[in-house]
Amino acid sequence: MRRIRSVKPSVRFPVSPALLRRLAYASIIANVAIVVTGGAVRLTASGLGCPTWPRCTDESYTTTPEMGVHGVIEFGNRLLTFAVGVIALAVVLAVLAQRPRRRGLLPLAVGVLFGIPAQAVIGGFTVLTNLNPWVVGLHFLASMVVIAAAYALWRRTGEADVPATPTVPAPLRTLAALTTLVSAAVLVIGTWVTGSGPHAGDQGAARNGLDPESISQVHADGVFLLIGLSVALVFAFRAVGAERATRAAVVLVAVELGQGLIGFVQYFTHLPAVLVAAHMLGSCLVLLATLAVLWSTRERRPVAPAPQPTRAPEPATAAA
């Protein structure tokens, strides 16, 4: 008697690409949100609201009524780290559930997941060092690295695992890479400006000793250079007919101008907390817009949709 083998239906994507892409996008938003809430901790002088780490006090992991509103703000920011971590873990599980496995996604997803506790540990050192401005700056920059990884993951979820194809000539790709490098430098110098200014995160926290006016001028010079390079990208991309890259560069220039306006206003109005918070959000947007330009200089074909199962023909149709 002939044996009949049972054939299991193959499922190409147990987790749909659309769901994975939404999770990756949520990871970007969550990591930007934790930067803004971290700024709220500093701007409300709540940096030592929980005076130790990983506990909030020597006896408790949570805030106590005696610690007041500063303890609530600092502890709330710590709790948000767990929410960001949960989203990152969901992304990793979604990547692992895909069939076939996307080889280019797992390293990025794992990098974002492990980057969050690493960033939290640096945040712990900011508390243990009494908000040392250099450590505080490193804490912010670590968040920028995680956001960059989350953005790369989001973009890769919409692309196939094939080699990237350039969309602009090599000199323009070099110019885009240089613009990205200058954007990163502006972010680093911005942390030095913050470390020299009045918003220390606590009344007794030290400053980095740099002259606020001088380092602010260096930061402004970097911003002017960044805007100049970005405008050059707009015209260069347009000259070679790279429409997608041109749109990305125009968005970058618009974000930079908005961020620069906030920076100048906050400087001449003696750094009001609301504008400083908006400037921190703008820093995240500048980073994302810069990465969008860099991504627009190459392309991979989109991920093919999952094949739809074919239905068996109706008996009448089969007979016909």
Side-chain angles (χ1 to χ4, degrees):
M1 186 180 219
R2 197 174 165 188
R3 295 181 61 186
I4 300 176
R5 292 184 304 171
S6 61
V7 180
K8 295 181 180 180
S10 61
V11 180
R12 183 176 176 85
F13 289 110
V15 174
S16 69
L19 175 59
L20 176 58
R21 191 165 175 79
R22 285 194 291 268
L23 287 172
Y25 191 73
S27 182
I28 297 175
I29 295 175
N31 279 284
V32 171
I34 202 168
V35 170
V36 177
T37 59
V41 171
R42 180 167 56 84
L43 295 170
T44 57
S46 302
L48 295 178
C50 290
T52 187
W53 187 88
R55 295 175 182 263
C56 198
T57 68
D58 292 333
E59 296 80 20
S60 174
Y61 282 98
T62 62
T63 184
T64 61
E66 293 77 15
M67 302 172 70
V69 65
H70 294 305
V72 172
I73 294 174
E74 165 65 7
F75 182 68
N77 187 62
R78 293 187 183 187
L79 283 181
L80 184 59
T81 301
F82 289 99
V84 177
V86 168
I87 296 175
L89 178 60
V91 173
V92 172
L93 295 177
V95 170
L96 292 174
Q98 286 202 309
R99 295 294 182 272
R101 185 76 52 79
R102 297 285 308 281
R103 66 179 183 272
L105 298 185
L106 188 58
L108 288 171
V110 172
V112 173
L113 177 62
F114 283 94
I116 293 168
Q119 189 257 13
V121 170
I122 297 174
F125 277 109
T126 66
V127 175
L128 298 178
T129 58
N130 293 321
L131 305 182
N132 181 289
W134 300 108
V135 182
V136 172
L138 181 61
H139 185 48
F140 172 79
L141 295 175
S143 295
M144 295 294 104
V145 172
V146 175
I147 290 173
Y151 179 83
L153 174 62
W154 175 68
R155 293 299 298 257
R156 289 290 286 114
T157 58
E159 300 174 334
D161 289 326
V162 296
T165 302
T167 59
V168 297
L172 298 190
R173 297 199 302 274
T174 301
L175 181 59
L178 177 61
T179 303
T180 303
L181 183 62
V182 173
S183 180
V186 168
L187 288 175
V188 172
I189 299 173
T191 65
W192 301 348
V193 175
T194 300
S196 69
H199 295 294
D202 186 76
Q203 298 298 334
R207 300 286 75 201
N208 58 22
L210 299 175
D211 178 61
E213 185 174 350
S214 299
I215 195 62
S216 295
Q217 183 61 55
V218 173
H219 182 59
D221 293 340
V223 171
F224 288 134
L225 175 60
L226 178 59
I227 294 176
L229 290 172
S230 302
V231 172
L233 282 175
V234 172
F235 288 102
F237 289 154
R238 182 173 296 173
V240 298
E243 295 182 3
R244 186 166 67 98
T246 301
R247 289 194 299 269
V250 169
V251 171
L252 174 59
V253 172
V255 172
E256 289 168 350
L257 291 176
Q259 174 75 336
L261 178 62
I262 294 173
F264 277 108
V265 173
Q266 72 169 5
Y267 179 79
F268 289 109
T269 55
H270 307 292
L271 303 175
V274 173
L275 290 182
V276 175
H279 200 58
M280 293 186 68
L281 174 61
S283 298
C284 299
L285 297 180
V286 168
L287 173 64
L288 293 172
T290 304
L291 294 175
V293 169
L294 191 63
W295 223 266
S296 70
T297 61
R298 57 7 130 250
E299 65 180 0
R300 292 182 174 94
R301 70 171 181 266
V303 174
Q308 300 296 323
T310 57
R311 297 180 56 186
E314 297 293 336
T317 305

